[in-house]
Amino acid sequence: MGMDRITDGAIIDGKKFAAGLLENVAKDVARLKEATGTVPGLAVVLVGADPASAVYVGSKHRQTVAAGMNSFKHELAADTTQDELMALIDRLNVDPAVHGILVQLPLPVHLDANAVIQGINPDKDVDGFHISNAGRLSTSQPALVPCTPLGCLMLLKDRLGENLSGLHAVVIGKSNIVGKPMAQLLLSENCTVTVAHSRTRNTPELCRTADILVVAVGRPGLVRGDWIKPGAVVLDVGINRVEIDGKSRIVGDVAFEEARHAGAITPVPGGVGPMTIACLLANTLTAFRRQHSVHID
Ligand SMILES: Nc1nc(=O)c2c([nH]1)NC[C@@H]1CN(c3ccc(C(=O)N[C@@H](CCC(=O)O)C(=O)O)cc3)C=[N+]21
């Protein structure tokens, strides 16, 4: 029998894993409510009316409420000034009901996203984008870890077990929000880490030696079947909107149908994406615990 398609067991069900994580977060929230009389609060700030952003923010809001947390949605006009946005962040930074702050990206071009992110209280930075959290992650101190890499690590450990020591991990992409923190996390797990990017000269060859392959580029079908070592675990972080047969669809960065020899692979949709939101709520819980010094698990 030829392996003409990916066997079901090799497809990582990120949606199911995220649902389980959300259930565990909800249980913890209920227990913390008993112990402290309060629940974690997440503030989400959306500037302007980008339709995709509005969908994501709506989904974050629903899941926050479903987990038993407070959700504070701040929808600001597209022409909001830097000073107005910074003033809102300043208020949320000191609001005791707010344990996590997320400013939905991308921001309108007249706003300085970096200044906004660096203005967030690092203890409330549930995206993990503040330089303080990036520095903490890269020096192995307790940090709020960016949601997508955190979700990827959970999926990896679910497949490969807790011990990733000595495995060769190749990360394609060097963004501050996925590639770099993913590489740092894998390094903390004692993987041998290679980061490839658009200027890398031998990306396919590097990938062929990867036990773990994380692809976060944003180019549909970039990774071909013959880049993947048999048995490798492949995490596809790409979210690309494309037209297929006149219909708008979302596809990843990996040519999924060519990956039949992978040991395991995340589909798009239904793979890494749902983990990102579940980890946002897990991070909000972590932030709450650290702010309250609650050490019940
Ligand atoms: N401050 C900030 N933090 C973010 O974490 C952040 C952001 N800004 N801006 C936009 C990106 C994008 N993002 C996604 C989250 C979940 C899915 C997700 O759940 N996707 C599903 C459904 C995809 C669909 O059908 O639209 C899936 O892949 O199965 C996708 C993308 C978080 N982002």
Side-chain angles (χ1 to χ4, degrees), residues 1-158:
M1 188 191 75
M3 290 199 297
D4 55 333
R5 32 182 331 213
I6 300 169
T7 57
D8 282 352
I11 299 178
I12 298 173
D13 191 341
K15 209 171 161 173
K16 186 170 161 192
F17 195 97
L21 180 57
L22 204 68
E23 253 178 59
N24 287 335
V25 168
K27 274 185 205 149
D28 284 3
V29 168
R31 291 176 51 222
L32 287 170
K33 190 177 178 180
E34 290 261 300
T36 67
T38 53
V39 297
L42 173 64
V44 175
V45 180
L46 174 62
V47 184
D50 174 62
S53 291
V55 171
Y56 288 136
V57 168
S59 177
K60 285 167 187 170
H61 171 75
R62 273 194 309 281
Q63 295 190 45
T64 305
V65 171
M69 300 188 191
N70 289 328
S71 172
F72 307 101
K73 234 197 302 184
H74 294 268
E75 295 179 290
L76 307 183
D79 63 355
T80 298
T81 65
Q82 187 80 22
D83 285 352
E84 287 167 336
L85 183 53
M86 296 303 272
L88 172 60
I89 301 296
D90 287 344
R91 276 193 281 128
L92 297 173
N93 279 343
V94 296
D95 184 338
V98 171
H99 304 90
I101 302 169
L102 178 144
V103 178
Q104 184 72 18
L105 301 175
L107 286 172
V109 290
H110 71 280
L111 294 172
D112 179 349
N114 187 51
V116 173
I117 290 165
Q118 306 316 329
I120 296 173
N121 176 349
D123 296 333
K124 297 190 178 186
D125 168 39
V126 285
D127 266 326
F129 294 166
H130 193 283
I131 50 169
S132 168
N133 282 310
R136 284 170 164 272
L137 176 61
S138 63
T139 55
S140 308
Q141 297 170 69
L144 287 165
V145 176
C147 303
T148 301
L150 182 59
C152 285
L153 185 64
M154 289 179 187
L155 293 177
L156 280 175
K157 287 186 167 179
D158 186 55

Side-chain angles (χ1 to χ4, degrees), residues 76-297:
L76 307 183
D79 63 355
T80 298
T81 65
Q82 187 80 22
D83 285 352
E84 287 167 336
L85 183 53
M86 296 303 272
L88 172 60
I89 301 296
D90 287 344
R91 276 193 281 128
L92 297 173
N93 279 343
V94 296
D95 184 338
V98 171
H99 304 90
I101 302 169
L102 178 144
V103 178
Q104 184 72 18
L105 301 175
L107 286 172
V109 290
H110 71 280
L111 294 172
D112 179 349
N114 187 51
V116 173
I117 290 165
Q118 306 316 329
I120 296 173
N121 176 349
D123 296 333
K124 297 190 178 186
D125 168 39
V126 285
D127 266 326
F129 294 166
H130 193 283
I131 50 169
S132 168
N133 282 310
R136 284 170 164 272
L137 176 61
S138 63
T139 55
S140 308
Q141 297 170 69
L144 287 165
V145 176
C147 303
T148 301
L150 182 59
C152 285
L153 185 64
M154 289 179 187
L155 293 177
L156 280 175
K157 287 186 167 179
D158 186 55
R159 279 288 155 160
L160 297 169
E162 285 293 315
N163 183 10
L164 307 179
S165 183
L167 295 177
H168 185 207
V170 172
V171 178
I172 315 181
K174 61 175 179 72
S175 72
N176 292 330
I177 64 177
V178 182
K180 281 188 227 169
M182 186 77 247
Q184 291 292 356
L185 269 183
L186 291 163
L187 202 51
S188 324
E189 299 294 331
N190 299 314
C191 290
T192 300
V193 181
T194 302
V195 181
H197 49 80
S198 59
R199 307 297 172 91
T200 300
R201 307 222 163 134
N202 57 342
T203 302
E205 287 75 16
L206 292 170
C207 290
R208 281 180 201 116
T209 68
D211 305 302
I212 293 167
L213 182 57
V214 183
V215 194
V217 176
R219 274 181 55 190
L222 171 76
V223 172
R224 306 302 303 260
D226 68 354
W227 297 25
I228 299 169
K229 175 166 125 174
V233 178
V234 181
L235 300 183
D236 189 348
V237 182
I239 297 193
N240 308 292
R241 228 164 267 274
V242 295
E243 288 268 309
I244 300 174
D245 301 331
K247 289 193 196 106
S248 171
R249 292 202 189 286
I250 294 171
V251 300
D253 292 343
V254 179
F256 187 81
E257 288 303 322
E258 297 178 5
R260 50 189 72 90
H261 54 292
I265 181 169
T266 57
V268 179
V272 172
M275 289 300 290
T276 299
I277 296 183
C279 285
L280 173 66
L281 301 185
N283 274 350
T284 304
L285 186 63
T286 300
F288 175 92
R289 281 202 175 103
R290 291 188 187 153
Q291 284 159 49
H292 286 257
S293 314
V294 190
H295 299 296
I296 2 172
D297 47 22

